[in-house]
Amino acid sequence: MSRHDFDPATVAPDGRPPAKARLFDGTRQGPHRGSVAGEVLATQVTVLTYGNDEPGTGPVLHVHPYDEVFVVQQGRARFFVGEAVIDAEAGETVLGPAGVPHRFVNLGPGRLQTLDIHLSPRWIQTDLE
């Protein structure tokens, strides 16, 4: 499939160099094994990796002052976003809008692995539990 969504001549490079950072550290214990702040990559997006093998567990209820997009990479999760309850499985994405408390749990069976995209140059969070 060939795409031509815009004219490349209409976009000028902004001078930022390419950048690289390690997201996942396999030696870290616990569900949060790594993150890359957007500031490190000179961008407005921070990326986290989260995973656990225990159904019924997940992050505590929390809120961010920006949108968060969850990409379920492996397993199944139940997301609680404000008053909504959303079940998602590998290959699906879920939006946690700015200012809306949210959390999620592993539905099992097996591992839940997510890639969490924070639309902010750094991770800012208030836990509510």
Side-chain angles (χ1 to χ4, degrees), residues 61 78-87 94-95 97 100-104:
L61 186 68
R78 176 161 291 149
F79 290 83
F80 303 89
V81 183
E83 299 298 318
V85 177
I86 302 168
D87 289 350
V94 174
L95 170 65
V100 177
H102 56 273
R103 67 183 181 90
F104 60 90

Side-chain angles (χ1 to χ4, degrees), residues 40-55:
V40 171
L41 298 175
T43 188
Q44 297 297 307
V45 176
T46 295
V47 180
L48 285 73
T49 182
Y50 176 91
N52 78 55
D53 296 303
E54 189 177 338

Side-chain angles (χ1 to χ4, degrees), residues 22-39:
R22 178 170 297 283
L23 171 62
F24 182 81
D25 180 352
T27 64
R28 280 180 72 174
Q29 297 299 310
H32 288 97
R33 299 223 174 131
S35 65
V36 174
E39 296 166 325

Side-chain angles (χ1 to χ4, degrees), residues 8 12 28 50 53-54 58 63 68 73 77 82 100 122 124 129:
R28 280 180 72 174
Y50 176 91
D53 296 303
E54 189 177 338
V63 65
E68 181 175 10
Q73 296 180 301
V100 177
R122 59 191 177 93
I124 304 167
E129 293 181 343

